[in-house]
Amino acid sequence: MSVEDLAKVRLITSLGPLAETTFALQTLQRTAHPALFGAWRKKARHRIPPHAAAISRFVAPPDGVVMDLPTMFGTHSEVDEALDRLRGLPHWMLHAEIDYLAGTRPMPGPLGHLAFGDGPGRETLLQAVRTGFAAVLEPYWQRVRAHLETQTLLASRLLATRGLEGILTSHPSLIWQPPVLEMRRNQAPRDPYRQVNVQEYRLEGRGLSIAFSMFLHRPTILHPEDVLSPFILVLPAHPDLRAGLDMWSSGEQTTGQRLAALLGRTRAAVLEAAADGRTTSEIARHLGITAAGASQHTTVLREAGLITTLRHRNTVIHTLTPLGVTLLNGG
């Protein structure tokens, strides 16, 4: 990384719902972290139809290379925005990716057209990705996005206190030896005697954006085709077990159910205080209440789906979910 690259480092909350869906489809087929993802896997496998499941195994196999859909989608906020980008992608780019993956795994019949001039294969892929989002992520997307927003807030604090090194050394597979960032990847995951492969990335003045994914199991680098666009380092950001279980168990409650627990002026003040991203003790000092009282109120607000809580070592930070933002803004 050159001085120019370092000047262009920035944090982004999320690549978007369909990029996160791609990572989620791989996690769906893996068995890692059963306590955290077990309940989610059970529900998602029940929802996803067989034809979409077959395509998802090609797009995001449990141990192989994931199709580079996150790069093709680009950073996005809406599902249709990402699908339109994939729909307008030059055929040669999509063909090259499919051709590469077809040499490493069986290709589902419906995608066969992509290897011979596109045809209906592209729309089949688009529909499978949309169906995958609806099955594995859409019921929980607001909560997942809120978790990623909190993770970005924590990363910004880490950046302020420990600098870029604090973020670039936050995962054991990343090695920061200025000015070079190295990422260690395991080869042959099922081989107990597997070797470790070291890859080096030269940013060449493009800069680096750092994003977070709740479902990613190891850091990854995205390389946009546009030479003016920055490289993107995506880091895993798993919630703690309690927060994860809350996400799957109450992520599908109706708005009325979520708001039913919101009572009283003090609790509303706690909600407003959390808008700036505060710890429990900061909320208590801000409102002039005890830490125990602040903790009780944040627990109720979290269970109501209005705030999200992220624990990092000895720090607990509360921020609003999109539903909490809507309520606070009178929506």
Side-chain angles (χ1 to χ4, degrees):
M1 295 176 68
S2 66
V3 173
E4 184 180 2
D5 293 315
L6 291 171
K8 294 179 179 178
V9 172
R10 66 189 183 102
L11 299 173
I12 54 179
T13 300
S14 166
L15 296 176
L18 291 193
E20 191 70 6
T21 295
T22 306
F23 301 136
L25 288 173
Q26 184 175 54
T27 297
L28 180 64
Q29 300 172 73
R30 294 171 60 86
T31 57
H33 307 291
L36 176 59
F37 291 114
W40 167 78
R41 286 190 178 106
K42 183 177 180 179
K43 294 180 180 181
R45 286 169 180 161
H46 178 73
R47 291 193 190 99
I48 192 166
H51 71 279
I55 293 176
S56 71
R57 286 191 291 270
F58 175 80
V59 168
D63 295 316
V65 176
V66 173
M67 186 176 179
D68 199 15
L69 289 174
T71 299
M72 298 177 187
F73 292 139
T75 304
H76 60 281
S77 57
E78 301 294 336
V79 170
D80 288 340
E81 176 188 359
L83 293 177
D84 286 342
R85 289 179 183 173
L86 186 57
R87 189 175 285 113
L89 198 72
H91 171 69
W92 67 266
M93 292 179 61
L94 189 56
H95 172 78
E97 183 72 10
I98 292 292
D99 188 56
Y100 169 75
L101 296 178
T104 65
R105 67 201 67 165
M107 178 185 291
L111 295 185
H113 295 284
L114 289 174
F116 303 100
D118 210 336
R122 187 182 301 233
E123 283 302 319
T124 300
L125 177 62
L126 289 168
Q127 291 304 316
V129 172
R130 182 189 287 276
T131 301
F133 169 70
V136 307
L137 188 58
E138 187 173 21
Y140 317 104
W141 174 237
Q142 286 192 346
R143 285 175 174 253
V144 170
R145 185 173 61 182
H147 168 73
L148 297 177
E149 289 172 351
T150 303
Q151 185 65 48
T152 305
L153 176 62
L154 278 175
S156 68
R157 292 190 174 194
L158 184 63
L159 187 64
T161 57
R162 293 187 54 198
L164 183 59
E165 181 179 10
I167 297 178
L168 295 184
T169 58
S170 62
H171 193 277
S173 69
L174 296 179
I175 299 176
W176 175 232
Q177 296 179 328
V180 176
L181 172 65
E182 295 181 352
M183 178 184 297
R184 295 185 180 271
R185 291 186 179 277
N186 292 328
Q187 294 179 328
R190 299 181 185 278
D191 182 359
Y193 301 100
R194 59 184 179 270
Q195 297 179 343
V196 176
N197 179 35
V198 180
Q199 296 181 335
E200 184 179 289
Y201 298 88
R202 296 188 180 273
L203 306 190
E204 300 178 342
R206 292 171 61 174
L208 182 70
S209 294
I210 301 174
F212 299 93
S213 168
M214 183 169 148
F215 292 94
L216 194 67
H217 64 281
R218 66 185 181 193
T220 189
I221 289 277
L222 305 182
H223 312 228
E225 288 290 329
D226 181 3
V227 296
L228 298 179
S229 297
F231 284 69
I232 302 175
L233 172 65
V234 191
L235 299 176
H238 295 171
D240 62 34
L241 182 58
R242 177 182 172 184
L245 295 179
D246 286 346
M247 196 172 297
W248 316 137
S249 64
S250 56
E252 296 170 281
Q253 291 179 346
T254 66
T255 301
Q257 289 173 321
R258 290 175 178 172
L259 296 179
L262 187 63
L263 297 171
R265 289 184 298 175
T266 302
R267 194 160 295 155
V270 171
L271 180 68
E272 185 174 2
D276 296 325
R278 285 188 166 98
T279 65
T280 303
S281 58
E282 287 172 344
I283 291 175
R285 286 195 299 270
H286 180 70
L287 299 179
I289 61 178
T290 65
S295 178
Q296 180 181 8
H297 287 302
T298 55
T299 296
V300 173
L301 292 171
R302 183 174 58 251
E303 291 175 349
L306 299 174
I307 68 170
T308 184
T309 300
L310 185 65
R311 291 170 176 82
H312 179 68
R313 297 180 181 174
N314 295 325
T315 301
V316 178
I317 296 181
H318 309 286
T319 58
L320 299 183
T321 65
L323 178 61
V325 172
T326 300
L327 180 68
L328 197 60
N329 290 337

